[in-house]
Amino acid sequence: IEHGMLNLKKIAIALVFSCLFFAVDKLSYIHPIGDLNITPWNPPAALEVLFLFWAGNSWMTWVYLTLGLSDSLVRGTLFLSPAMVLGNAVLVTCYAAIAFTLRWALAERTALRNRHDAFVLGSVILGGALLTAMAYVGTQTWIGVLSPHDFLGAVHRFFIGDLLGLMVLLPLFFVAADKRRHAQYLHMFRSVLFWALMLGLAICLWLIFSLPIEDQMKYFFSLFFVLGLIAATYSLPGATLVAALIQLPLVFSATRVGVQPADLMDMQIVMLSLSLTGLIIGTVVDERLRTEERLRDSLQLVAAGELAGSLAHELHQPMSALSAYAESALMLTELQKEKMTDAQQTQLVTMLRNVVNEALRATDIVRGLRSYFISGASSLQDTSVTHLVDECVARFAHKAAKADVALVTVYTHHEDHVLVDRVQISTALGNLLKNAIDASPSGAQVTVRVNADEKQMLSIRVIDQGTLLDADAADQVFRPFYSKKKDGLGLGLSVSRSLVENNGGVLRYQAHPEKCFQILLPLGDCVDE
C-alpha cells in the first residue's frame, strides 16, 4: 500500500511539473532563433533538472514527452520532426547528466550549507550549460535546421539563457528545500526591515524599467546595492529569493515593442552578475552565522562539561562509600557461612562482588570524565579492542534482551591493539550501543563490526536496523542538546564525539551502505602485546 501511495505521489508531482513546464515555457518563449529552444532566458531548463534531481533519471521519458508536447503547444513544431526528436533527446540527456552530477556531488542533499556546496553547484551549472548549448546547437546545425554561420551566436544565446535560468532557480530551490532554513525564512518574512528593503527594490525596478531601453543599463547598479543589503542581512534565503523576483520585471520589459534580442542579452548578462554577487555575499554571511552557531555549541558543551565535572566531584565520595559497604558485606558473609546453603552463599557473594566491581568501574568512569572535562586529559594505554568491545556488549546484553534486540559482534581486523584512554572510548562506544538499541525495532539486530577501515585506522561500526536519519537530523545529530527523544538531553553523541576526537579518532554517521555510527581510531602508535 505504501509503495502504491508513493507511486501516486510521484505521478501527481510529475503532472504538476508538466503543467508548470508548459506555463513557464510559454512565458519565456521570447526572441527565439527559429522555432527552437534557443532564447535569452530559459527557466524550463531548471525545472527539468530539478525534477530529474528529485525523481531520478528513470523519469527521463516523461520529461522527453513533456518537452515534445510543449514544443507542439508553444512553438507549433511538428511532433515527429527531426529538430524536435533529436534535439529534445539531446536536451533531456544533458539535463539528466546535470541532475545526476548534482546528486553525486552534493551526496543527494537538497541544501547549500557552505561555500564548497555553492562552488560545486555553480561549477556544475556552468559546465552543464556550456556542454548542453554546444550539444543542442551542434545537433540542430548537423541536421540542417541552423546554418553553420549561426552556430556561435546560437550557442552564446542558448548558453546565457540556460545559465541564467539554472543559476537563478537552482540555488533558490536548494536553499528553500533545506528544513533548517525554515526558521530563517520565517524570521525574514516577519522582519519590517525586509519589507522596507523589498519596497526599495520595487522602486528601483520601477524607475529602471520605466526608462527607455537604451538608458536602463546605466542604472542597473542600484540593484546591486539593494541585493547586497538583503544578502548581507538575510544571507542565502534573501539573496536567492530576490534574484528570482528581479527576473519577472526583466522578462516583462523584454516583451515591449522595440526591445531587441541584443538589449535583452546585455541585461541578462548583468542579471547573471547580479545573481552571482548575491550568491557569494549570501554564502559568506551564511558561513559567518554558522561559525557563530558552532561557537554557541562549544559554549554549551563547555557549560555541560563544567556541570559534569561538578557532578563527578559530588559523586566520587558516595561511590567510594558504596564500594566500601559492599566489601564490608562480603566480609560479613564470610562470618555467616554456616547459616546459608552453598547455593545461597555463592549467589550472595556473586551479587556483592558485582556491586563492588560496578562501583569501582563507576568510580573510574567518574574520575576519568572529571579529568577530561576539567583539563581534557587522557590516560592512554595499550588496549585490546576485542576485549573493550566484548566488555561493552556484555554490559548492554540485558538492555538488548529486554528490548528484544540481538547483539552481534563481527571481527575482521588483524591489528587488535590501540593506544587510547580505555574509559573514554568505552563510554563513547556504550553511548552508541545504547542509542542503537533504542533506535531498533523489536526483533532487529545491532551489529558491532570491527575491521581495519582506512590507512592506519581501526574501524568500529555500530550498525542498527532503525530508521535512517533525514538530512536535517544527520547534520545536527552531533550538536549539544539536540535530541528527538522525550527524555533525552542530547549530550550523548556530542560528548562521545569529543571523547573519540580527544583520542585522535573520528566519530561519524553513515547512511550507506548501511546505517551506522563509526568510530575510527589511529593504529600508528599501537604496541602489540
Side-chain angles (χ1 to χ4, degrees):
I1 295 175
E2 291 182 0
H3 183 68
M5 292 296 292
L6 181 60
N7 286 335
L8 287 176
K9 179 182 178 182
K10 283 191 173 183
I11 292 173
I13 294 178
L15 290 171
V16 171
F17 156 73
S18 297
C19 294
L20 186 61
F21 184 91
F22 298 149
V24 174
D25 197 19
K26 178 68 175 177
L27 176 68
S28 61
Y29 189 51
I30 302 170
H31 301 301
I33 294 179
D35 295 328
L36 302 174
N37 290 291
I38 303 177
T39 61
W41 184 53
N42 192 25
L47 294 180
E48 293 176 76
V49 171
L50 289 177
F51 179 72
L52 291 170
F53 179 90
W54 171 80
N57 290 352
S58 59
W59 286 79
M60 288 174 63
T61 303
W62 181 279
V63 175
Y64 181 79
L65 294 174
T66 299
L67 190 54
L69 185 58
S70 183
D71 279 341
S72 298
L73 295 176
V74 175
R75 298 170 182 81
T77 308
L78 293 177
F79 196 78
L80 294 179
S81 66
M84 192 197 76
V85 172
L86 294 177
N88 289 352
V90 169
L91 287 180
V92 173
T93 301
C94 290
Y95 294 144
I98 295 174
F100 174 81
T101 305
L102 286 175
R103 280 199 304 272
W104 171 78
L106 297 177
E108 299 192 5
R109 285 187 292 105
T110 52
L112 292 181
R113 297 295 171 82
N114 48 48
R115 70 180 69 183
H116 174 265
D117 289 350
F119 176 77
V120 167
L121 179 63
S123 300
V124 173
I125 289 174
L126 180 64
L130 181 58
L131 290 176
T132 304
M134 296 182 68
Y136 181 74
V137 176
T139 300
Q140 300 298 345
T141 304
W142 175 63
I143 62 178
V145 176
L146 285 175
S147 169
H149 299 290
D150 297 329
F151 177 79
L152 291 179
V155 167
H156 179 251
R157 185 182 296 194
F158 189 100
F159 171 65
I160 294 298
D162 265 25
L163 183 61
L164 187 58
L166 293 169
M167 192 61 76
V168 169
L169 293 185
L170 259 61
L172 176 63
F173 168 79
F174 280 105
V175 173
D178 187 355
K179 293 181 180 179
R180 291 186 62 181
R181 296 191 183 275
H182 291 179
Q184 287 181 281
Y185 277 104
L186 189 61
H187 168 71
M188 182 174 70
F189 291 138
R190 287 179 174 177
S191 171
V192 175
L193 176 60
F194 171 73
W195 293 109
L197 290 173
M198 291 298 292
L199 178 61
L201 178 65
I203 293 173
C204 288
L205 289 171
W206 177 75
L207 290 174
I208 290 171
F209 291 113
S210 63
L211 296 172
I213 187 66
E214 60 272 11
D215 295 329
Q216 291 180 6
M217 295 290 294
K218 300 177 183 178
Y219 299 96
F220 250 75
F221 70 89
S222 60
L223 297 180
F224 283 87
F225 176 71
V226 178
L227 179 61
L229 283 177
I230 294 175
T233 308
Y234 301 103
S235 68
L236 284 175
T240 54
L241 178 63
V242 171
L245 291 177
I246 293 176
Q247 281 288 297
L248 299 178
L250 181 62
V251 174
F252 175 76
S253 69
T255 61
R256 294 186 303 175
V257 177
V259 178
Q260 299 299 315
D263 298 325
L264 181 57
M265 288 290 293
D266 290 341
M267 286 192 290
Q268 292 289 56
I269 292 173
V270 174
M271 182 60 220
L272 180 61
S273 302
L274 187 66
S275 299
L276 288 173
T277 301
L279 189 61
I280 293 170
I281 295 174
T283 301
V284 172
V285 174
D286 214 50
E287 289 197 344
R288 178 182 63 81
L289 294 175
R290 292 190 182 282
T291 301
E292 293 176 356
E293 185 181 79
R294 286 194 293 269
L295 178 60
R296 287 194 297 270
D297 288 347
S298 299
L299 293 175
Q300 287 179 326
L301 196 55
V302 169
E306 292 177 354
L307 176 61
S310 176
L311 289 175
H313 176 74
E314 298 298 327
L315 287 173
H316 181 72
Q317 186 172 350
M319 295 302 296
S320 299
L322 178 61
S323 176
Y325 288 143
E327 291 283 4
S328 300
L330 280 172
M331 289 188 288
L332 289 175
T333 301
E334 291 292 326
L335 298 176
Q336 300 295 325
K337 283 183 178 181
E338 65 278 0
K339 296 182 180 181
M340 294 183 292
T341 64
D342 290 343
Q344 290 175 329
Q345 182 182 350
T346 301
Q347 184 179 15
L348 181 58
V349 169
T350 300
M351 292 174 62
L352 289 174
R353 179 56 60 192
N354 288 339
V355 171
V356 172
N357 292 338
E358 287 301 307
L360 292 175
R361 189 177 70 83
T363 301
D364 289 339
I365 292 175
V366 167
R367 186 186 300 115
L369 292 180
R370 182 170 183 266
S371 298
Y372 167 72
F373 281 119
I374 290 176
S375 62
S378 297
S379 177
L380 301 180
Q381 53 186 305
D382 187 31
T383 303
S384 167
V385 176
T386 302
H387 187 267
L388 185 147
V389 170
D390 286 343
E391 184 183 71
C392 284
V393 170
R395 201 162 72 240
F396 285 90
H398 178 70
K399 177 179 177 64
K402 190 175 180 181
D404 190 24
V405 173
L407 280 180
V408 177
T409 54
V410 179
Y411 298 102
T412 59
H413 60 296
H414 302 292
E415 177 62 73
D416 185 54
H417 292 266
V418 289
L419 193 63
V420 295
D421 187 306
R422 184 183 184 87
V423 171
Q424 293 180 8
I425 298 302
S426 179
T427 301
L429 181 58
N431 281 333
L432 299 185
L433 281 170
K434 178 181 179 299
N435 289 345
I437 294 170
D438 291 340
S440 299
S442 178
Q445 175 177 297
V446 171
T447 304
V448 182
R449 180 174 294 136
V450 184
N451 64 288
D453 185 77
E454 297 177 3
K455 188 180 296 183
Q456 295 299 310
M457 299 294 277
L458 188 78
S459 166
I460 305 175
R461 285 185 173 90
V462 180
I463 306 163
D464 67 72
Q465 297 175 325
T467 305
L468 288 174
L469 299 180
D470 57 37
D472 179 55
D475 282 340
Q476 301 194 70
V477 70
F478 291 107
R479 291 188 61 195
F481 303 106
Y482 176 81
S483 176
K484 290 190 175 181
K485 298 179 182 178
K486 293 182 180 179
D487 56 347
L489 288 176
L491 286 172
L493 287 174
S494 178
V495 170
S496 296
R497 171 179 267 187
S498 297
L499 292 174
V500 172
E501 290 177 349
N502 198 53
N503 286 264
V506 176
L507 173 58
R508 62 191 183 189
Y509 168 76
Q510 291 183 323
H512 303 288
E514 51 203 354
K515 179 198 173 188
C516 72
F517 283 89
Q518 181 187 36
I519 296 175
L520 291 172
L521 296 173
L523 285 168
D525 298 325
C526 298
V527 180
D528 293 339
E529 285 186 339

